Amino acid sequence: MHFEPYPFEKLTQLLEGITPNPAYSPIALTIGEPQFETPAFIQKSLAKHSEELRRYPKTAGETYLNDSMRGFVERRFGVKLKPNELISSFGTREVLFNFPQYYLFDKPNSVMAYTNPFYQIYEGAAIASRAKVIHLNLNEANGFKPRIDEDELALCDLVILNFPNNPTASVLTLEELGTWVKLALKHDFCLINDECYSEIYTAEKVPSLLEASVYVGNTSFKNVLVINSISKRSSAPGLRSGFIAGDAEILKGYAQYRTYVGCASPLPLQAAAAMAWADEEHVERARKVYAENFKAAQEILGIDTSDATFYVWLKVDNALELTQRLYRDYNVKVLPGEFLARENALGENPGIGYIRIALVEETVRTIQALNRLKEAMSCKN
């Protein structure tokens, strides 16, 4: 195995040499980065604590930040975590990359499974861990939910789910997540749910794997972990604030490992993040914008959309050709689905025939982009 170029590098290569139509202002619907201003109270907190840059931060994070995160989990999911059941992190990418390396280090011939399509850091972590990979393929036939093959799961040391899902925007119910908790206990594998989109929903609140663990009676969260981030929730990816929570026994060793990694968050960022995790009002405002964006997509494109994330996983005839034409003629960038997936055991790439659209702009610009997309899809010359 080798490290693949990131999807955005592939997109750059695909669009190389194409001059976008200057009659249109450029709009990028490619990256899952909210294009709203970070709330003022978060920015003010960051500035207020800037003098603390003179101090080294602790790898474990400040108590006030960890308390704020645990308060968020209790408020949002009804789960009261003990202090040793949560570790704050410098965003979540570093955890998703280095946790598998820690966990699989002393497991020869390790096996790691994750959803396909996927966030590419999962693949990078598997490569760095020298783990054999099993793809949990998501496709229209199974409602973009991970297939369950117990013979394969019995081989696994680590399984990573990602629901609400990037890129398909699919969601698992509390009962479905509970089934996965039971599988993790039955086959003794570590189960992680990447829940970075848990706070972006348009209707019902989406459940957490922690809730599901309690729901099926696994109140100690044995073999169960979740990862979450402030980036999407608070339009503040630059704060690099996330956490991993669940099984205290697993986290004990991981906390020790992290002291060697050197990913401590600067103190001004921790102070601002603690305020953001504790506030729900600004999150609700952002949710309303995303809901309007989804409504616009439904009306303009004539499609059903998910009730979570800010992605549209749109089925198209030829994703690569459409991506090039949309950029050339309408100055809009989207991401071909095949860049976000790999061939399965049958030689099929579940991302082929889809584009991912990130509805991260204010609604006016989103409507402009969607209208251009609609016109591009209707003009196939």
Side-chain angles (χ1 to χ4, degrees):
M1 298 178 72
H2 63 281
F3 291 100
E4 288 276 343
Y6 238 58
F8 306 110
E9 295 178 54
K10 294 182 179 180
L11 180 64
T12 298
Q13 294 172 3
L14 179 67
L15 301 180
E16 188 175 3
I18 298 176
T19 301
N21 188 342
Y24 294 95
S25 61
I27 302 179
L29 305 179
T30 50
I31 188 168
E33 179 182 78
Q35 296 302 298
F36 317 135
E37 186 169 321
T38 301
F41 78 94
I42 298 176
Q43 297 188 49
K44 288 178 182 178
S45 176
L46 182 62
K48 178 182 177 181
H49 292 87
S50 61
E51 59 86 20
E52 294 185 43
L53 287 170
R54 63 187 173 84
R55 294 171 50 205
Y56 278 116
K58 296 181 291 188
T59 301
E62 295 298 308
T63 300
Y64 63 76
L65 174 60
N66 295 331
D67 288 347
S68 183
M69 290 172 167
R70 289 189 294 112
F72 159 75
V73 173
E74 182 174 5
R75 195 171 59 248
R76 171 65 174 82
F77 302 112
V79 175
K80 188 174 180 63
L81 294 172
K82 300 171 185 174
N84 63 349
E85 291 175 333
L86 181 145
I87 296 174
S88 58
S89 61
F90 194 56
T92 53
R93 180 187 291 202
E94 62 105 344
V95 176
L96 288 165
F97 186 68
N98 67 40
F99 177 84
Q101 294 176 66
Y102 157 75
Y103 189 75
L104 301 175
F105 178 77
D106 60 353
K107 295 176 174 58
N109 304 311
S110 60
V111 178
M112 179 174 163
Y114 48 83
T115 49
N116 181 34
F118 53 82
Y119 176 40
Q120 194 157 321
I121 205 71
Y122 310 154
E123 179 182 75
I127 294 170
S129 304
R130 293 176 170 79
K132 178 184 175 182
V133 170
I134 293 174
H135 285 141
L136 306 174
N137 296 305
L138 311 178
N139 53 56
E140 190 173 14
N142 62 21
F144 300 106
K145 298 187 178 185
R147 63 183 176 83
I148 294 175
D149 182 328
E150 293 208 39
D151 289 338
E152 286 188 339
L153 292 176
L155 303 174
C156 290
D157 299 291
L158 175 63
V159 174
I160 301 180
L161 302 179
N162 170 214
F163 292 92
N165 184 254
N166 169 20
T168 70
S170 57
V171 176
L172 294 185
T173 66
L174 183 68
E175 292 75 16
E176 287 169 331
L177 287 170
T179 295
W180 278 95
V181 174
K182 292 177 182 178
L183 289 168
L185 295 172
K186 178 180 179 180
H187 298 293
D188 195 27
F189 58 79
C190 179
L191 175 66
I192 296 177
N193 193 29
D194 178 357
E195 300 183 355
C196 289
Y197 294 90
S198 69
E199 302 314 286
I200 311 300
Y201 53 84
T202 58
E204 298 295 322
K205 294 180 179 180
V206 295
S208 167
L209 187 66
L210 294 177
E211 285 180 274
S213 189
V214 173
Y215 176 73
V216 299
N218 184 24
T219 56
S220 68
F221 310 113
K222 177 176 171 56
N223 289 2
V224 169
L225 297 166
V226 303
I227 289 172
N228 212 325
S229 164
I230 211 167
S231 299
K232 324 298 182 185
R233 178 183 185 274
S234 298
S235 303
L239 279 184
R240 309 310 303 140
S241 180
F243 64 77
I244 180 170
D247 187 323
E249 190 61 34
I250 294 176
L251 291 180
K252 180 180 179 181
Y254 181 55
Q256 182 66 37
Y257 166 85
R258 284 180 56 77
T259 62
Y260 292 87
V261 176
C263 286
S265 176
L267 292 172
L269 271 66
Q270 292 194 49
M275 292 193 68
W277 282 111
D279 183 79
E280 297 297 331
E281 186 177 341
H282 74 288
V283 187
E284 181 59 32
R285 286 197 295 269
R287 270 197 291 268
K288 289 179 180 178
V289 176
Y290 293 129
E292 287 297 314
N293 288 351
F294 269 131
K295 181 180 178 182
Q298 292 169 347
E299 294 174 351
I300 294 170
L301 301 179
I303 59 172
D304 292 327
T305 58
S306 172
D307 291 329
T309 79
F310 42 55
Y311 294 119
V312 172
W313 188 239
L314 186 64
K315 196 170 187 176
V316 297
D317 291 335
N318 187 321
L320 298 181
E321 190 275 334
L322 175 62
T323 299
Q324 291 175 316
R325 181 157 42 83
L326 186 60
Y327 181 59
R328 182 193 68 213
D329 296 344
Y330 299 94
N331 212 344
V332 173
K333 287 184 178 180
V334 296
L335 198 61
E338 59 203 81
F339 293 174
L340 297 161
R342 296 289 180 266
E343 287 188 356
N344 58 28
L346 301 176
E348 302 166 338
N349 182 317
I352 289 179
Y354 291 90
I355 57 172
R356 191 190 74 176
I357 307 168
L359 303 181
V360 292
E361 295 276 1
E362 294 287 354
T363 303
V364 171
R365 276 178 61 80
T366 296
I367 290 173
Q368 292 175 355
L370 291 170
N371 279 322
R372 295 186 208 175
L373 173 59
K374 180 180 179 180
E375 187 173 341
M377 292 175 67
S378 65
C379 300
K380 298 183 179 180
N381 53 359

